[in-house]
Amino acid sequence: MTDTLRMQTGKTVLDVRNLNLTFGRGDNALHALDHVSLSVQQGEILSLVGESGCGKSATMMAILGLLPKRAATVRADAIRLGETDLAGASQRQLRRIRGNRIGMIFQDPMTSLNPVHTVGFQIGEAVREHRGASRAEARHQALRMLDLVRIPDPARRLDAYPHELSGGMRQRVMIAMALVCEPELLIADEPTTALDVTVQAQIMALVDELRVEMGMSVVLITHDLGVVAATADRVAVMYAGRIVEEGPVEQVFRRPSHGYTAGLMRSLPLDGQVHQGRLQEIPGSVPRLGEAAPNCAFAPRCVFAKPRCAAEVPLPTDLGGGHAARCFEHSAVFADLADNDIVRAWQ
Amino acid sequence: MMEALLQIDGVSREFPVGRHATGQPRHLVRAVDGVDLSLAPGETLGLVGESGCGKSTLARIMMALDHPTRGAVRFGGAPWSGLTARELKSRRGRIQMIFQDPVASLNPRMTARACIAEPLINFSGLNRHAIALRVAELAAQVGLSDHHLDRFAHELSGGQCQRVGIARAIAAEPDVLIADEPVSALDVSIQAQILNLLLDIKQRMGLAMVFVSHDLSVVRHVADRTAVMYLGRIVETGPSEQVFSDPQHPYTQMLLNSVPHPLPAARHRKPEVRGELPSPLSPPSGCHFRTRCPIAIETCAVEVPVCGPVGAVHRAACLRLGEETGRDRLNG
Ligand SMILES: Nc1ncnc2c1ncn2[C@@H]1O[C@H](COP(=O)(O)OP(=O)(O)O)[C@@H](O)[C@H]1O
Ligand SMILES: Nc1ncnc2c1ncn2[C@@H]1O[C@H](COP(=O)(O)OP(=O)(O)O)[C@@H](O)[C@H]1O
Ligand code: SF4
Ligand SMILES: [Mg+2]
Ligand SMILES: [Mg+2]
């Protein structure tokens, strides 16, 4: 079981209950997140998967308190990091938590790295700020981190500028910056989307090793089911601002129970597919942001949809073992996917 | 083998980078390095490799949007170079391209209808009425309805823009379609729609296609033959089935091994990926891949491997091809 770490401690590191987010106000308000609930246990990698615009980054920005107060309204029953209430925290308290108890890495390392400072300085910055470390101590920590993220010849790289490094090395530097204060939680927002597969494989292997070495928890945002399968313990599938399916990775792949999850799994060109044969497409297009859907937002594109799907919001159905899906037709979905190559491989 | 529609012989393309005070280029990047390739009528050739390996440069050379600094490109039996403007224009109509960024590749000030009509005005010699009919027909072929046709690129989704791009490309009934990362910028749920459309069009029109992508599963699915590039060179070519199920070059093996499939075998797997891509400004001597290759020997630093035969139609550029290297190549 990959759930071992979690079962050993069972400590909840991040707990988000019914997070709602709207951009703008009144008639122009756009509902971006609807009743998003997530929890991450110690040592666990939770993957948040969904296509662009579904609200993955917004979820993390809301948790971190990084959304502009004027533009965004965040409401939640709870956002807790361990014992700390993030929903009620002041900006000052949040600043002490970000980069300290929560590390963050983003898709494009170039926009998050400062071009005029050396990587050593930038990695050390967090320990100076959060731990009051001296310059020498910060430099020492930066060196240790470069070594930890397996950058060859770390002493020399300490004085390099971001543009002197390759994309893969910059992403390693970002990881070093995120982890220098030994956070409880790492939030990685599409950390490998801009990278080539070989570099992605190296970076994901590194994140996986470090979470074991440091006993940290990870929220991994991706749009790639392959990355989920390779790295995550649990997965939350997001569609149009809602978590539509959630559970241990093995169970979700073994028993996909939402029309969208099923649609994604069926559309992938896998090796078993007839060469140049028709792929099973998901019809229609990704919905634009608007009001919170009064039904299953996927219904217009779903081959399993029944009249009820277009009329009511499906609530999460408990499928056992920590697996739940917001789908009225979850049994039909699963029955239909029983002979899917991916599903069969997981059984 | 059928006569090649597009034939590329020993093609290299060097770009000057940086300038000395004297105006001389500081360095030369060899983006494409001695490439031989051919495309038969009706065939789909996949071109894979990591970013910067020269795929787009090669695609642009095939389109005569760029010219090789060495070697020759022949299209329909005649060289691309040395054509009169008029010959070039008529030839251009027979080879068309679709691009990665579907929104940016369309003129923002033109409606979808005007975008699709443009190549017809340029290449077809049809009158206005006939063009209008043909645009409607093309739109139907690519799955656009009439109300989409009066919209501008920014009013359409990425998938819809890519449909416009495809309609535009096939408008003049080309023999060859060059698709440079046609689905990479699209949402996962939209990719299958566009891939189906491309497969469908290819079959219906019998056109040949060069399909450039960094997504190996997609290339495996659509391409009859696949060429793998590394730092400007082709390191392996062959029928897709053989290249993907029995890769012969250590780089192809490393690349395929890095792809996370949504299968249980991928779980917490640590693919063997060594080192980093060297700078294209100073690629390693001999075999470009030797600095990352698990089976490199001393000669690899000296000799440039030629892309030699593995089977009847499968080729790879590795000095240790066919040797017993103690590595399970199949498992690559
Ligand atoms: N500041 C903002 N104002 C208005 N809409 C926003 C803002 N930030 C994000 N959005 C919208 O919220 C939705 C979710 O965005 P995001 O979380 O970035 O998606 P993802 O990360 O899943 O691709 C998108 O439709 C996006 O356009
Ligand atoms: N116009 C140009 N000037 C200078 N260098 C270029 C130019 N176009 C491409 N290159 C370089 O050539 C190499 C190959 O680029 P490209 O063909 O775009 O690769 P790919 O499409 O495989 O990502 C890269 O190193 C790139 O930086
Ligand atoms: S030629 Fe040498 S370095 Fe290149 S792939 Fe073959 S064994 Fe490896
Ligand atoms: Mg995002
Ligand atoms: Mg390219």
Side-chain angles (χ1 to χ4, degrees):
Chain A
M1 270 306 269
T2 47
D3 274 4
T4 41
L5 279 168
R6 182 173 144 220
M7 290 192 304
Q8 273 163 14
T9 65
K11 196 175 139 226
T12 301
V13 171
L14 179 72
D15 191 28
V16 178
R17 292 290 126 212
N18 292 321
L19 170 63
N20 290 285
L21 166 66
T22 48
F23 290 112
R25 277 173 219 290
D27 289 347
N28 299 324
L30 300 173
H31 206 81
L33 297 176
D34 188 53
H35 292 84
V36 168
S37 295
L38 290 173
S39 81
V40 189
Q41 312 299 308
Q42 185 172 8
E44 176 181 69
I45 300 187
L46 169 76
S47 182
L48 192 55
V49 65
E51 48 207 326
S52 60
C54 74
K56 304 179 298 295
S57 299
T59 303
M60 293 307 137
M61 301 292 268
I63 291 169
L64 293 164
L66 284 173
L67 291 166
K69 274 250 153 33
R70 268 166 289 112
T73 312
V74 176
R75 294 224 162 70
D77 291 348
I79 306 178
R80 306 185 71 82
L81 177 71
E83 301 298 313
T84 313
D85 174 23
L86 299 184
S90 67
Q91 274 306 322
R92 219 174 87 95
Q93 287 167 315
L94 286 169
R95 266 196 300 276
R96 274 205 303 253
I97 288 166
R98 291 192 297 258
N100 185 17
R101 293 180 60 197
I102 303 178
M104 297 159 290
I105 42 180
F106 301 100
Q107 178 171 339
D108 182 5
M110 243 1 217
T111 57
S112 322
L113 288 170
N114 188 331
V116 305
H117 290 302
T118 64
V119 300
F121 178 86
Q122 294 183 65
I123 297 168
E125 210 169 352
V127 270
R128 285 197 307 278
E129 184 184 328
H130 294 294
R131 303 282 149 90
S134 67
R135 269 185 171 254
E137 168 62 10
R139 193 175 160 85
H140 173 74
Q141 286 296 333
L143 181 62
R144 186 181 67 87
M145 290 310 296
L146 285 179
D147 193 40
L148 189 72
V149 297
R150 336 283 194 241
I151 289 189
D153 199 357
R156 194 167 60 83
R157 298 300 168 100
L158 215 46
D159 297 314
Y161 289 89
H163 73 268
E164 297 172 317
L165 302 176
S166 67
M169 284 298 158
R170 279 180 216 138
Q171 200 55 293
R172 283 172 196 264
V173 167
M174 283 300 301
I175 297 175
M177 278 169 71
L179 300 188
V180 67
C181 289
E182 309 202 341
E184 294 141 67
L185 177 69
L186 172 69
I187 295 180
D189 191 350
E190 311 232 21
T192 57
T193 300
L195 304 175
D196 282 309
V197 278
T198 54
V199 187
Q200 166 170 286
Q202 289 173 313
I203 296 292
M204 289 325 304
L206 176 67
V207 169
D208 201 15
E209 281 163 31
L210 291 177
R211 66 113 174 213
V212 175
E213 279 171 41
M214 304 177 66
M216 105 194 132
S217 310
V218 182
V219 176
L220 172 68
I221 296 178
T222 178
H223 62 265
D224 185 342
L225 285 180
V227 169
V228 174
T231 331
D233 301 310
R234 271 190 321 123
V235 57
V237 183
M238 198 164 204
Y239 189 79
R242 285 187 189 132
I243 307 272
V244 294
E245 180 159 7
E246 200 214 323
V249 167
E250 286 95 340
Q251 296 209 44
V252 173
F253 278 112
R254 197 183 292 143
R255 195 197 191 296
S257 300
H258 189 280
Y260 175 62
T261 320
L264 283 183
M265 283 170 62
R266 292 209 299 199
S267 69
L268 296 175
L270 270 192
D271 303 358
Q273 185 90 54
V274 177
H275 186 65
Q276 299 179 341
R278 243 190 124 64
L279 298 167
Q280 296 205 38
E281 46 189 68
I282 300 181
S285 48
V286 183
R288 294 190 181 194
L289 222 53
E291 287 172 33
N295 50 17
C296 172
F298 189 61
R301 306 177 69 191
C302 185
V303 293
F304 303 100
K306 291 273 173 350
R308 191 178 177 198
C309 307
E312 276 175 59
V313 178
L315 296 176
T317 304
D318 186 352
L319 299 161
H323 182 192
R326 280 174 175 266
C327 180
F328 292 123
E329 293 297 319
H330 61 86
S331 305
V333 170
F334 173 54
D336 200 70
L337 263 87
D339 64 349
N340 175 274
D341 285 339
I342 300 178
V343 171
R344 286 225 316 258
W346 287 86
Q347 279 167 353
Chain B
M1 222 180 162
M2 251 187 288
E3 202 204 323
L5 194 56
L6 191 65
Q7 180 75 44
I8 291 176
D9 290 312
V11 160
S12 297
R13 175 63 165 109
E14 287 175 335
F15 290 110
V17 271
R19 292 255 169 231
H20 284 293
T22 60
Q24 288 295 315
R26 201 174 285 272
H27 303 283
L28 286 177
V29 179
R30 195 170 295 163
V32 173
D33 187 0
V35 165
D36 300 311
L37 270 181
S38 69
L39 181 71
E43 177 187 46
T44 300
L45 173 71
L47 202 53
V48 301
E50 295 173 273
S51 51
C53 71
K55 304 181 297 297
S56 295
T57 305
L58 191 55
R60 290 172 55 79
I61 288 174
M62 290 175 176
M63 281 291 296
L65 291 173
D66 189 12
H67 299 284
T69 39
R70 197 150 16 102
V73 182
R74 297 171 72 81
F75 180 60
W80 258 132
S81 54
L83 295 179
T84 63
R86 195 155 150 240
E87 286 168 324
L88 192 64
K89 188 176 163 183
S90 87
R91 199 81 64 82
R92 278 249 167 85
R94 294 178 52 200
I95 177 162
Q96 290 288 315
M97 193 156 179
I98 52 178
F99 301 89
Q100 171 165 3
D101 187 335
V103 185
S105 66
L106 299 177
N107 184 334
R109 284 182 299 275
M110 276 159 80
T111 60
R113 192 185 302 282
C115 285
I116 300 172
E118 191 183 40
L120 292 169
I121 296 165
N122 288 340
F123 297 114
S124 73
L126 296 174
N127 66 27
R128 284 181 80 130
H129 180 67
I131 286 177
L133 286 177
R134 178 86 179 113
V135 168
E137 188 181 87
L138 285 163
Q141 270 183 40
V142 299
L144 289 170
S145 33
D146 211 43
H147 67 271
H148 292 129
L149 289 179
D150 295 314
R151 298 200 186 146
F152 294 91
H154 71 269
E155 298 171 311
L156 296 169
S157 69
Q160 286 157 352
C161 285
Q162 201 55 295
R163 288 176 196 272
V164 175
I166 293 169
R168 224 179 113 80
I170 62 171
E173 306 205 338
D175 302 318
V176 180
L177 191 60
I178 297 189
D180 191 356
E181 308 265 8
V183 297
S184 306
L186 301 177
D187 277 313
V188 189
S189 75
I190 306 300
Q191 290 188 4
Q193 293 179 7
I194 299 299
L195 290 173
N196 280 341
L197 177 61
L198 285 171
L199 286 168
D200 186 48
I201 279 170
K202 185 204 116 141
Q203 192 140 50
R204 205 149 19 111
M205 302 179 59
L207 41 71
M209 189 155 76
V210 177
F211 191 98
V212 180
S213 180
H214 67 271
D215 187 329
L216 296 150
S217 308
V218 166
V219 171
R220 177 177 197 161
H221 184 67
V222 303
D224 300 306
R225 219 149 46 85
T226 295
V228 184
M229 287 183 85
Y230 188 75
L231 286 173
R233 293 180 183 159
I234 305 279
V235 297
E236 183 158 358
T237 65
S240 302
E241 186 40 40
Q242 286 181 32
V243 171
F244 285 94
S245 65
D246 188 15
Q248 294 294 316
H249 194 282
Y251 174 63
T252 314
Q253 294 168 353
M254 182 175 103
L255 193 62
L256 291 179
N257 206 13
S258 308
V259 178
H261 293 292
L263 298 172
R267 275 188 92 50
H268 303 287
R269 188 188 53 126
K270 304 268 182 283
E272 187 188 333
V273 177
R274 297 156 51 116
E276 288 227 305
L277 189 68
S279 162
L281 284 172
S282 52
S285 64
C287 172
H288 283 349
F289 188 59
R290 68 174 166 85
T291 50
R292 311 175 71 188
C293 180
I295 56 165
I297 48 175
E298 275 172 33
T299 24
C300 301
V302 188
E303 236 178 275
V304 176
V306 292
C307 205
V310 184
V313 275
H314 189 173
R315 307 174 85 82
C318 170
L319 295 172
R320 303 201 64 191
L321 213 59
E323 272 181 52
E324 195 42 69
T325 53
R327 253 172 81 81
D328 180 359
R329 283 177 177 257
L330 271 181
N331 186 30

